Amino acid sequence: MDAAQLVILFLALAAATRAASASGARPSEVTVGALFTYDSTIGRAAQLAIELAVDDVNADGKVLPGTQLNLVPQDTNCSGFLGTIEALRLMEKSVVAVIGPQSSGIGHVISHAVNELHVPLLSFAATDPTLSASEYPYFIRTTISDYFQMNAVASIVDYYQWKRVTAIFVDDDYGRGGVEALGDALALKRAKISYKAAIPPNSNTDVINDVLFRANMMESRVMVVHVNPDTGMRIFSVAKNLQMMASGYVWIVTDWLAAVLDSSAYRELKDMSYIQGLIVLRQHIPESDAKDKFISKWNNVARNRNITSGLNSYGFYAYDSVWAVARAVDKFLSSEQQINFSTDPRLQNLNDSTLHLSTLKIFDGGEQMLQQLLLTNFTGVTGPVQFDSDHNLDAQRMISLMLLALAPLDWLLMPRNTSTSAQQLHDVVWPGDSTTKPQGWVFPNTGQPLRVGVPIKASFKELVSGRGDNMSGYCIEIFNAAIKLLPYPVPYQFITIGDGTKNPSYIDIIRMVAANSLDAAVGDFAIVRNGMQLAEYTQPYIESGLVMIVAPVKHVTSSAWAFLEPFTLEMWCVTVALFILVGVVVWLLEHRTNEEFGALKATSHNNVMELTDDMCFSFRFSFSTMFFAHRENTVSTLGRFVLIIWLFVVLIITSSYTASLTSILTVQQLSTGITGIDSLVSSSLPIGYQAGKFTKRYLSENFNVPLSRLVPLNTIQEYADALNRGPKYGGVAAIVDEKPYIDIFLSNYCKFRIVGEEFTKEGWGFAFQRDSPLAADLSTAILQLSESGQLQRIHDEWFSRSSCSSDDSEVGATRLGLGSFWGLFLVCALICLFALLVFFIRVCWQYNQYSSSEAAGEPSAGAAGPVIRQRRLSRLGSFKELIQFVDKKEEEIKKTMKRRSSDKDSQAAGFSYAQSVASA
């Protein structure tokens, strides 16, 4: 081997050694791309911020040590086409990540390219919520998504209780995505976008004027503006010319305007007086030392470079985006990953193309770089920087950072270095220098009057009648009076529905309102559940519940035996039996101690007459208690106790008898026996209802009344005829309808009667389309009519006073049966039995004492002793002797027992004397 060959071998070995050494070392430079429009509000702030961030990264020895971050920017020129071309050119330069773009539209396009080339895309200004990680896995949003911004807008709308807004937006991905998010957020607050005013990109003033003119013809006066910062200011100058910045309007502007105001020079702000009163959303950047240092550095560099544009929030996010890339690259290299690119074989087949697409390389470590970016967690100038599963900045942080900024012009003109504590936000000053909250809605100035549907029926003309412009009636007058109280003019025309011979279906009219065939429905519309699912009702202007009227009443003719009718036969029998029982019990308890109860017995010597006199006395005493006319006084404790309970029972019986007899002699009886909704439903009788109203559905669904029992009626004449004929002759037993209709009917037919109570509670209102502001405004007007008394005056004018009493207490008096009193009778009977039991126990004890004293007084000597003892035992065991003992007075018994005790003592003393004499 000669020297030349040795040299070549040595050089080859050295090259291999250097390559092996280089494979484990960090690269000296890493290329990062940037996509934005240089000459734009966001681009001017982002360009300087990105440059400062790259300088700070390269000067930091802790991040990417020994490696320089090389920035390759590309200008998208505010063009989707040019932006896409510049993005592809950027991919040719072997970038490991791209910061940008600022446009959501370009973000959609180039996200497809970075997905194939595995290059992470970090956008600091693409806020379209539809840029999602599920479709674009290599897209990372380092700013606030419009999803959170639109929820803040919806909260403002809800706070001021507006229900409809007009969305003015640029017709591109950014504008459409934001408005879609706004619609979803408003729906959660029961509000909606009533009109979408789309402005084509790069539109001139004439196009903007046409769009705003059409928006001004709509009803909503709450304008939400979501456009690009560079063309958005022209909207307000055009709106001022169209008188849309006057009092009554509301302008809510997303954060693009805050970016414009932050970037504008002070002299430019002085020429923006027409934006006074706008509500502007501003992205909140928390105060920190890092933020203050960055602002100071920005101001110094901008001053040195004669940059007149100011720093806005997107500049802060662009600065943090560079640091996120630098930290991710540092961790990527620290994990011994290599930055390599490979060709895409699918693009190699396009070598014959002049586009040179084969120069696009796939980043082999793109997946690992993406994961390092998603694990980012540091504190930047915007605060904590970390990403959620959707590749957005942490959602909780985003919600807390949405800040409502009210922007009076004098506050915006304060020096930027004024402390936050000195910046006092003024009270809300709305367009037109008004401090009163705008209503947010007016009647649309389309030249078309409000289409008001009115039902025309065959009867009840007091409520609605007429044709065309000659409408009248109670409901019409209420509507006209309420319309006059609105703070804005509302032209309207009545559209009659129905031929006047048959009642139209009320729910079908409500469906016409829901289908936009009508704007409103005015008349006797009950506020019911199925109607509220289709339309929105006003405050009720009259109460209207369901009641029931029955067939003609019949007058009861009195008879000679009418006094027996209050009680049923069994009630009479039990009452008489109880009178007898109480009389006997009281006599038994009293006659042994009370002279008044034993007087008759004392003069009687015949047993039959004696028993008859006692029974008559007990009956007389018992029945006299009915009128509290008894003369005898009770002296025994048991007698008084029984009499007190009995007098209470008598009081209840006599009061009930009097009330029932009065009702029977004075009230009217129902021919069908129906006394309420329960008895009507439980019967099988036919029921009438007003055709077209909700009563049929209500009875069928809530009471399970078969449809075969329901008879539709149209006029009050049909009402009367059906009730007169009754169920037996093809009529109805009762009619169920709303109270105002029944009042009108009874003012013409007094022989019918309302029975039972009102069993539903609803009212009549005017129906409008869902979420119509007119419903709320007319509700306020109806309340004003009620408070002023005009609502009642209109009612009195149209509803004549009925001479028919609706008191159903006079209808259908019934006889009283045992079922109402059996508990009271049972208690009284049990007390009587208890008193008798105590009485007989006491009598038996006295009888035993009496018998003992009699036995002790009998002679015991001589041959007659056994005979006398046998006769005594027979006498003591006889029931007759016990009855005779019960009939004796207690005083007499006590005297007899005392005498026998004395006789016993005397006999004992005599017997002792005889024995002493005999022994002597």
Side-chain angles (χ1 to χ4, degrees), residues 636-681:
S636 67
T637 303
L638 290 175
R640 289 177 177 178
F641 178 63
V642 171
L643 186 60
I644 290 174
I645 300 300
W646 174 243
L647 290 177
F648 175 74
V649 174
V650 168
L651 176 64
I652 299 299
I653 293 175
T654 54
S655 300
S656 302
Y657 176 86
T658 303
S660 181
L661 180 62
T662 303
S663 299
I664 290 174
L665 295 178
T666 58
V667 306
Q668 301 168 336
Q669 298 292 319
L670 300 177
S671 60
T672 59
I674 300 297
T675 58
I677 186 63
D678 293 331
S679 60
L680 176 63
V681 171

Side-chain angles (χ1 to χ4, degrees), residues 764-785:
W764 288 353
F766 307 131
F768 292 87
Q769 295 179 9
R770 296 284 294 176
D771 300 322
S772 172
L774 261 178
D777 292 347
L778 273 183
S779 295
T780 303
I782 290 172
L783 289 176
Q784 292 177 4
L785 290 175

Side-chain angles (χ1 to χ4, degrees), residues 82-343:
L82 294 178
T84 304
I85 298 299
E86 294 298 330
L88 294 177
R89 290 181 58 191
L90 191 63
M91 298 301 170
E92 296 176 346
K93 300 178 181 180
S94 300
V95 294
V96 298
V98 176
I99 298 172
Q102 75 182 57
S103 168
S104 297
I106 299 176
H108 277 279
V109 176
I110 67 171
S111 289
H112 293 286
V114 298
N115 286 350
E116 296 295 331
L117 300 178
H118 297 178
V119 177
L121 193 68
L122 289 82
S123 178
F124 57 87
T127 57
D128 179 12
T130 61
L131 282 167
S132 62
S134 59
E135 185 177 3
Y136 308 114
Y138 281 84
F139 177 83
I140 300 176
R141 196 191 322 270
T142 59
T143 186
I144 298 176
S145 169
D146 282 339
Y147 170 82
F148 304 104
Q149 184 171 208
M150 294 309 172
N151 274 273
V153 173
S155 297
I156 297 171
V157 173
D158 180 62
Y159 176 80
Y160 287 107
Q161 299 180 346
W162 298 314
K163 294 301 180 182
R164 297 190 177 190
V165 304
T166 294
I168 302 173
F169 62 99
V170 60
D171 195 8
D172 60 6
D173 292 321
Y174 159 74
R176 289 189 295 268
V179 169
E180 181 180 352
L182 175 62
D184 295 339
L186 288 173
L188 297 176
K189 305 292 186 181
R190 294 185 58 84
K192 70 176 183 178
I193 300 174
S194 60
Y195 182 72
K196 295 181 180 179
I199 301 175
N202 304 318
S203 297
N204 56 31
T205 303
D206 292 336
V207 174
I208 296 176
N209 186 85
D210 293 340
V211 172
L212 293 185
F213 180 80
R214 289 193 297 270
N216 197 34
M217 301 292 287
M218 300 298 110
E219 57 190 15
S220 175
R221 285 295 178 263
V222 181
M223 310 292 177
V224 179
V225 185
H226 186 59
V227 296
N228 293 318
D230 299 289
T231 58
M233 295 303 296
R234 287 185 294 172
I235 292 177
F236 302 117
S237 61
V238 173
K240 182 176 179 63
N241 294 333
L242 293 175
Q243 303 298 317
M244 295 176 66
M245 305 299 293
S247 177
Y249 287 84
V250 178
W251 291 85
I252 304 175
V253 189
T254 54
D255 65 337
W256 66 266
L257 180 55
V260 172
L261 297 175
D262 289 339
S263 302
S264 301
Y266 300 132
R267 54 181 175 82
E268 296 175 352
L269 289 176
K270 294 179 180 179
D271 298 330
M272 297 181 183
S273 59
Y274 51 83
I275 66 173
Q276 172 72 41
L278 274 60
I279 297 179
V280 184
L281 270 69
R282 181 190 299 276
Q283 297 187 23
H284 175 64
I285 308 298
E287 298 297 327
S288 65
D289 293 338
K291 175 184 175 182
D292 294 338
K293 291 179 182 180
F294 174 64
I295 294 175
S296 178
K297 184 181 294 186
W298 167 279
N299 292 333
N300 292 333
V301 175
R303 192 181 306 110
N304 295 334
R305 296 185 185 182
N306 294 322
I307 298 176
T308 58
S309 177
L311 175 63
N312 55 52
S313 59
Y314 292 101
F316 291 99
Y317 289 112
Y319 181 85
D320 280 348
S321 299
V322 175
W323 274 98
V325 171
R327 292 175 182 273
V329 172
D330 183 50
K331 292 181 179 180
F332 176 84
L333 296 177
S334 298
S335 61
E336 297 183 357
Q337 297 286 336
Q338 300 297 314
I339 298 177
N340 296 320
F341 293 87
S342 60
T343 59

Side-chain angles (χ1 to χ4, degrees), residues 152 686 773 859 893:
I893 293 173

Side-chain angles (χ1 to χ4, degrees), residues 585-599:
V585 169
V586 173
W587 180 84
L588 287 173
L589 297 176
E590 289 291 325
H591 84 286
R592 300 180 73 238
T593 59
N594 194 336
E595 291 294 338
E596 294 181 355
F597 283 79

